[in-house]
Structures are given as structure tokens and as C-alpha cells.
Amino acid sequence: MIQGILKRIGTGALALAILLASGTAWAGRPLDTEDTGTIEPGKAELELSLNYAKNPGDNTWSTLGVFNFGVLRRFEARVELPVLLVEPEDRKSRAGFGDATVGFKYRLLDEKEPLPALLGSLILRLPTGDADRGLGSEDVDVGLLAVISKSFRSMTLFGNLGYTIVTRDSDLNFWTFNAAVEQRATQAWSLVGEVVSTVGDSKAADTVVLRLGSVYALTDRIKLDGAVGFGVTKESPDVMVTVGGTI
């Protein structure tokens, strides 16, 4: 039965992928790929989501709150805080706050014909989760990310190249390679898709996730979204589902 459900989901995902390949909407949720947009100074944005991941060895449920705010022209900061429920296959479930993330991004170049937009980002993962209970990791991770985007009528393409330094163990350092596409279907509705991947320097696992989803503008200030992701490598999550909104 489960195989049949996954097969139907896969068929729908393939159809959506074909549609995406035929044609800017909004970056950000429900994608992990970073965009080159920044919030205007003095304004803020709140993202809320409910997420599920079927991982090798456990199921993880989480709620995530992300607060983005404009600091200066082209410069944006954000704070992320997850609440996790982890259900291991062979141990007792546990719940609590996960590791918080603080991020900063600055757009170096605005998009102009024929040049793309270019942005740099710094991401800090803070050890606010309980590592002993499997809700976080020790010490701080430092991530550097270069972001590029280019619009073609109703379609926008994004690319990310990053490197994360894991201070507790340099053998766990890893590279990030992401690519995403947004296709505006109507004035209020957009389709999104991405490939998110990490490549470890030494001991870190190599992961690849394919994600497809949609964004709907309920009003000028409220957007709803959802996406389904599928892992490609052995170390990747098998299935990932997210639903949420941006205010």
C-alpha cells in the first residue's frame, strides 16, 4: 500500500517537474535554496511552517519560525528557531527546541540586463538544542554562501554555492550546491522546484534532495505554500513534507 502511495506521489511529482521545465515568483519558502531578494530597511517578515521528514532510522516532526528583517538597503538579517519531535525506530521519542540559526545576507549586485543578481550570505548555527537527546549538535557551525539569480519573463533561476565549517570536527565540513526554479503560473500562484545537495570533505555524508511545491498569494501580505521532497542518496531523508506561510 505504501509503495502504491509513493508511486502515485512520484507520478505527480514528475508531472509537476515537466510543467516547471516549460516556463519571478517568490523565493524563500518552501524552498531551501537561498534567493537574492532582501527586505527593505525597517520592514519584517515572519515565516511559519510544519515539517515532516522520514529519515534513515527515525521520523522527525518540526515546527519552524523564521523572522526576517531589513537592516540596511540590500542587507537583511534573520533568526530561525525550530521545535522538534524525533521518533527513532529503536528508542523513546523526544521533543524540544532544536538548534537556532542566525543569518545575514547582502546583495552585492542588482539584476541588470544581461547580468544576474549576486548576493553573499553568512549563516551561524547555534547549539541551542540538547545534543545528548539528539535535538541538536555541539558548538557552532559557520556557513558561507554565494547566491546568483536571473529572471526570464515569468521564470526565475537560482543557484547556491556554499561551504560550512563545523567547528567541533573539521572532518565534518561540507560543501553546498543548490539550484532552484520558480515559474509564475498566474498572478497569485507560482510553482517551485529545487535540487539541494551537500558534499562532505571527509566524514560528512553526501546528500541530494529533490523538492517540488507551490506558493499561493492569499493577499498582498500573506502567502501560503507547500512542498514535497524526495531523497536521492542513501544518507538523504526518504521523504520530506512542508506546509506553511509567510506574513
Side-chain angles (χ1 to χ4, degrees), residues 27-88:
R29 281 209 46 84
L31 303 182
D32 283 347
T33 302
E34 186 61 89
D35 62 89
T36 56
T38 56
I39 299 174
E40 295 181 11
K43 294 189 177 181
E45 183 179 79
L46 178 63
E47 301 175 13
L48 299 172
S49 63
L50 175 64
N51 313 282
Y52 167 77
K54 179 174 177 54
N55 303 300
D58 68 58
N59 295 323
T60 300
W61 299 83
S62 67
T63 58
L64 178 64
V66 182
F67 183 66
N68 308 290
F69 53 97
V71 180
L72 301 170
R73 182 174 178 270
R74 297 182 175 183
F75 182 64
E76 176 185 315
R78 76 170 182 269
V79 179
E80 303 180 12
L81 183 62
V83 178
L84 306 176
L85 170 61
V86 181
E87 301 175 324

Side-chain angles (χ1 to χ4, degrees), residues 108-242:
L108 302 168
L109 295 174
D110 293 327
E111 181 177 342
K112 297 180 180 179
E113 290 297 339
L115 300 177
L118 181 63
L119 178 140
S121 179
L122 170 67
I123 306 102
L124 304 175
R125 182 199 57 78
L126 307 179
T128 56
D130 190 337
D132 293 335
R133 299 177 60 215
L135 299 175
S137 299
E138 297 176 351
D139 300 321
V140 176
D141 292 351
V142 181
L144 299 173
L145 192 69
V147 184
I148 190 171
S149 71
K150 181 63 176 172
S151 297
F152 302 92
R153 296 187 179 182
S154 61
M155 175 183 285
T156 303
L157 303 178
F158 302 91
N160 293 178
L161 171 61
Y163 188 73
T164 297
I165 301 170
V166 181
T167 59
R168 70 182 183 280
D169 186 351
S170 60
D171 287 339
L172 296 176
N173 293 355
F174 62 90
W175 291 89
T176 299
F177 303 94
N178 300 340
V181 57
E182 294 181 285
Q183 171 66 54
R184 184 180 291 277
T186 68
Q187 188 66 25
W189 181 39
S190 290
L191 304 176
V192 295
E194 70 177 350
V195 179
V196 177
S197 63
T198 63
V199 178
D201 269 358
S202 179
K203 295 191 300 184
D206 299 336
T207 65
V208 180
V209 172
L210 305 179
R211 182 179 284 109
L212 299 167
S214 180
V215 182
Y216 181 76
L218 191 62
T219 70
D220 291 341
R221 296 187 177 185
I222 301 176
K223 299 171 186 175
L224 306 178
D225 63 73
V228 178
F230 303 91
V232 175
T233 65
K234 182 179 180 181
E235 295 82 5
S236 305
D238 296 326
V239 179
M240 304 172 68
V241 179
T242 181

